[in-house]
Amino acid sequence: MPWLTCSKLTLFTIAGVAIQMVGLSIFVFGFFPVKPTLPGHSGPESFQAPKCNSIQNETERDLHPHQLRSLYKELSGMPPAFDRLILMVIDGLPAELVLGKDGKPPSKALMEAMPYTQSLLANGMAIGYHAKAAPPTVTMPRLKAMVSGAIGGFLDVALNFNTQAMLDDNLLDQFFKIGWKMVMLGDETWLKLFPGLFIRHDGVSSFFVKDTVQVDQNVSRHLGHELNKDDWDFLILHYLGLDHVGHIGGRNSALMAPKLSEMDDVVKMIHMSSILNQKNDQGQTLLVVVSDHGMTESGNHGGSSYEETDSLALFIGLNNDISDYSSSTHNIIYQVDIAPTLALLFGVPIPKNNVGVLIAEIFGYLADDQQLKALELNSWQLLRLLQAQMPGLSCRNYLCDGFSDDQESKITKCSGSMGKMFCCLYTNAALLQNSWMSKEFPRSKSREDYSSAVTAYYEFLRTASEWLSRSATDKPVSLLTLGIAAMLLSCLILLSLLFNMCKEVYIREKYLFDLESAMQTWYLDETFVLGVILILIVSMISSSMVEEEQYIWHFVASTLNLLLLRKAIQCPPCGGAQGLHTLSKEQNKISCFRLSSIFVVLVSGRILRGWHQGGVNWTNLPDISKWLEQSGTDNVKSIQLVSCLLLMTLSLYVLFLLGSNKKFVLAIGFSFLMSGLLVLQHVTKHWDGMFASSSYSTTTLVQIIYATLGASTFGTVIALPWLVPFSISEMCSNQDLYMSTSAPNEVQNKSLMAKLRDSLYIVGWTYISCWCILQLLLQQTINSMPILLLLVQIFASMLYFSYSALHHKPWVEVAAFYFLGMAGHFALGNSNSLATIDVAGAFIGISSHSTVLSGILMFMITYASPMLFILSMVMYISVKETSYLPSPFSSDSTQLLKIMLGFPCLVPLGLNSILLTAYTIILLLMRNHLFVWSVFSPKYIYVCTTTVCVYVGVSVVSTTVTYTYLVLGFRRKMQGELSHQQ
């Protein structure tokens, strides 16, 4: 009796996974904490130097909004420049589409798409900025950055799909406190962030990305009416259509220019109505046109590339016109700079957690002393934030005691610790301002002193802003170490279980086939699989290799299959112990099958490798998908149609290999056919409607497809073990249908094993076929052929391994499937950047927004290939050599279940555990690296999600096989009882 029983294997595996989950949770919540923020809101004290306590916050609560507004005006010394603000957010608009790039204007087509906006820039009536956004470049954290000036935590990318009310200090709360009336039209994210602040609103969902028309019409239909009203002070317009156009068709979409023209018409309407022809009772109006983020060439966003972080900030209606076109279009700021700029323009305190710096050109209309006052207010606010981040920071008594006349000579060169550096920079700026203010002769003549003070203030502001922006919160290293220790323990448990499984299988094979000499030899493919683990771990240290990880997986998958091809040529096929020295005619046929199968896998892999360029740095290089898209939509659609037909044909062919005379096989084949035909109907229905918005009929059709595939899959899994015929004669007559068989010890056990394999074969292929049909519906149109190729790879690999008998270790075969799954993951266009996540497909067939359902669909799209190859383990179990296994349903029957499930479950768990633990350690070591948030952290999110994928896949495989085994065992027992009664 082996030490590792089935029950022990199950318990230890569950324990290992549970420990891993605990360790991973500890590390994630320790490494990605929510950034600490200063509580409360800025008030009158923000107009005084820190720690000067001349004004208490309590007085603010007793003031009427109009009194508070007057108090702010008096304390700041700067009257508000404008009375009303219109914030127009064009979601996903890259600044270079409006302002150009690298000193060059936009292309002629883009300039012609926005003629009015371009005329404002050319005539100096608008100032445009490339506003650099911080990753992650998704809507919710970017809106927070614009209204609060704060950079959120990295995990805000997850909260983007479940927005909560914003509690931190922000511009909208400040405006509300001084009595402003606010109106919001557009993305409902604003309503979730700021509930109860708007007197009128009309929100639209931002997640139905197939809609590019109605989503913007819902905003513009109210615009004329709102512009004629005078009961609001702040109007927010958030247009989503351009972002949706990008998600569907990329930057070069045919709908991009018309959408830009539509946005230009909105700018023209606002400018002519509210700025040029404004009514006297409405006051001065400022129009600020911004974008929350940019987009890649493929239209996605979320990462940290230049294309994704290049957002727009366009100020229209300023009093200081800029005559130089180049100076009004090629300025670069940070997105967080918008918040302090708007706060000072409208006379409210800068939000407490702001890390932005006011934009100098915007305040050109102010007198020199007022501009210095604005810089001083911004400096005080950042100094308060520095004091909160660096306890003990004290800049002596300069803040409250003022400066003596002889301190002008004390301007020093700043060096030393960061605390001393900040105090020195601020003190220098304050001394220069005090010196300029104390001049007896007209200050207008002392421009050099004034410029020195401005330069000193900006040096302090930029230094403080950059430090606050990139400084991570102190990570609890001891807690992170505890998480890593738990993951290491889990990894050791899983690997020790895998080692015991290998040892037990080796003993069985040695005893049955006398293969001691052969089994003691380490073959090249086995050595390579172990070497791959080292390659993957070492590559994780390099940020460039993390960005271009797809090259490693394609190399690993293709190299391993070449080694398998070499081994197939060198080793003749054998069935157990027979045919080791001579090749019969049948064996020659089997040899051809093996060589052909592995050759098909290699050819399919090479096509998949060239389908998407992938990665981050080389996406501009040509690939098959770009070539097809450039050749025309009709060609892409034709390939999609052909792929659907071929996939259905292959699915039915492999299914009917088991025998088409069985009713349950015919029923399952019919469900495949129906699901495939419904997908074809969906494809042909939108043949010319690539950008068609979701309709009720389309949503209903997709939901019918979901229901059909779900019923086919679950119905097959649950019902099939009860429907498989139990006749021994029938089972024996079908024994030649299997790809690999061996002489049984007794006919009854042979029939029972065949019955188990029968069920797993059908259930496994049902999983594979239904998953592929579902992906044809969810994936981008261009990915239909890769889905077919992944299915071909699975079938070819099954053929190869079924004919290989005992030529390969089981763990090598399962590892080969795992490598193909990861290579296919990148072949579908995925990368380690959040920008490649397909958001569009996550809302197919959903009639109303659901974070859970959308998240599940997004997960299924992103991990289509790894999940497909893990699910294929059910079919793999059914086609493998079984002569060395224990007799089914005997006294040692649980050993059969253990050996059948051991490798298909432990190998994926073990490989993933090694990679997860190794990358967690690397991430801890890289916590202060320059690219920790832009490269290593997004990769870690993918690693964690891959872990979830492995958990789910292995759970499905183990549950399916165990359920089938138990049902057949129950039926066998009941049949025996009936036989005794008769």
Side-chain angles (χ1 to χ4, degrees), residues 430-496:
L431 286 171
L432 288 170
Q433 179 189 11
N434 184 65
S435 172
W436 180 80
M437 295 287 290
S438 64
K439 297 291 184 182
E440 296 181 0
F441 51 85
R443 295 172 189 162
S444 59
K445 296 182 181 179
S446 56
R447 298 303 300 174
E448 184 177 349
D449 292 342
Y450 170 78
S451 298
S452 298
V454 170
T455 301
Y457 265 123
Y458 270 109
E459 185 179 4
F460 166 74
L461 289 170
R462 280 301 172 201
T463 304
S465 176
E466 290 174 6
W467 186 86
L468 289 167
S469 297
R470 69 171 179 262
S471 65
T473 56
D474 291 335
K475 298 180 177 64
V477 177
S478 58
L479 187 64
L480 299 179
T481 305
L482 177 62
I484 291 176
M487 284 186 271
L488 281 171
L489 176 61
S490 168
C491 187
L492 291 175
I493 291 174
L494 294 174
L495 292 180
S496 63

Side-chain angles (χ1 to χ4, degrees), residues 321-388:
D321 293 344
I322 304 296
S323 58
D324 185 2
Y325 176 78
S326 62
S327 65
S328 67
T329 58
H330 300 141
N331 304 299
I332 299 176
I333 62 171
Y334 290 92
Q335 197 175 59
V336 291
D337 296 342
I338 296 174
T341 301
L342 292 179
L344 294 177
L345 279 176
F346 288 92
V348 296
I350 299 173
K352 269 193 174 184
N353 297 290
N354 163 73
V355 297
V357 177
L358 59 85
I359 305 170
E361 297 85 354
I362 304 298
F363 295 90
Y365 68 93
L366 291 176
D368 290 348
D369 58 338
Q370 291 178 325
Q371 291 190 44
L372 283 177
K373 181 63 176 178
L375 292 170
E376 184 180 49
L377 292 175
N378 197 178
S379 299
W380 286 346
Q381 181 268 320
L382 286 184
L383 198 56
R384 286 187 177 90
L385 199 56
L386 286 171
Q387 290 173 340

Side-chain angles (χ1 to χ4, degrees), residues 106-179:
S107 66
K108 182 179 179 182
L110 292 174
M111 295 189 72
E112 291 176 348
M114 303 189 76
Y116 195 81
T117 303
Q118 293 297 334
S119 68
L120 293 177
L121 290 167
N123 295 328
M125 302 175 70
I127 304 178
Y129 295 91
H130 294 264
K132 185 176 180 181
T137 47
V138 291
T139 298
M140 187 270 288
R142 302 282 55 79
L143 294 183
K144 283 185 174 182
M146 283 189 282
V147 299
S148 70
I151 297 177
F154 186 82
L155 290 185
D156 276 345
V157 67
L159 300 177
N160 186 61
F161 298 97
N162 187 25
T163 305
Q164 304 294 327
M166 186 173 185
L167 302 178
D168 301 336
D169 194 6
N170 60 83
L171 289 177
L172 275 77
D173 284 336
Q174 292 291 346
F175 290 150
F176 185 77
K177 286 164 62 177
I178 63 172

Side-chain angles (χ1 to χ4, degrees), residues 81-301:
F82 300 93
D83 302 290
R84 304 208 307 175
L85 172 62
I86 299 177
L87 181 66
M88 179 180 175
V89 183
I90 305 178
D91 206 293
L93 174 62
E96 65 178 280
L97 298 189
V98 180
L99 306 178
K101 181 181 179 182
D102 298 331
K104 299 178 182 178
S107 66
K108 182 179 179 182
L110 292 174
M111 295 189 72
E112 291 176 348
M114 303 189 76
Y116 195 81
T117 303
Q118 293 297 334
S119 68
L120 293 177
L121 290 167
N123 295 328
M125 302 175 70
I127 304 178
Y129 295 91
H130 294 264
K132 185 176 180 181
T137 47
V138 291
T139 298
M140 187 270 288
R142 302 282 55 79
L143 294 183
K144 283 185 174 182
M146 283 189 282
V147 299
S148 70
I151 297 177
F154 186 82
L155 290 185
D156 276 345
V157 67
L159 300 177
N160 186 61
F161 298 97
N162 187 25
T163 305
Q164 304 294 327
M166 186 173 185
L167 302 178
D168 301 336
D169 194 6
N170 60 83
L171 289 177
L172 275 77
D173 284 336
Q174 292 291 346
F175 290 150
F176 185 77
K177 286 164 62 177
I178 63 172
W180 271 28
K181 307 297 183 183
M182 293 175 277
V183 177
M184 197 290 299
L185 306 173
D187 186 358
E188 63 182 11
T189 302
W190 290 95
L191 301 178
K192 296 177 181 179
L193 285 173
F194 309 104
L197 292 190
F198 302 104
I199 59 173
R200 286 187 300 278
H201 57 80
D202 186 7
V204 296
S205 176
S206 60
F207 294 105
F208 291 104
V209 297
K210 295 293 184 181
D211 178 14
T212 64
V213 179
Q214 193 64 40
V215 71
D216 285 345
Q217 290 179 352
N218 286 340
V219 179
S220 296
R221 64 178 178 172
H222 301 287
L223 184 56
H225 178 68
E226 291 295 343
L227 292 177
N228 291 325
K229 282 182 168 289
D230 59 2
D231 64 342
W232 55 263
D233 303 285
F234 187 15
L235 174 62
I236 299 175
L237 309 170
H238 193 138
Y239 288 91
L240 294 164
L242 188 138
D243 181 66
H244 293 185
V245 168
H247 278 299
I248 298 173
R251 281 196 183 199
N252 299 318
S253 165
L255 290 183
M256 185 60 73
K259 182 56 66 174
L260 288 172
S261 180
E262 181 184 345
M263 296 297 98
D264 188 63
D265 291 338
V266 174
V267 172
K268 180 179 179 180
M269 180 180 181
I270 297 173
H271 184 252
M272 296 186 68
S273 174
S274 297
I275 298 178
L276 293 182
N277 300 317
Q278 60 188 358
K279 300 176 183 178
N280 293 330
D281 57 348
Q282 290 182 342
Q284 289 282 100
T285 302
L286 175 66
L287 170 61
V288 181
V289 182
V290 298
S291 60
D292 49 353
H293 50 75
M295 65 173 66
T296 62
E297 288 297 324
S298 60
N300 293 318
H301 55 86

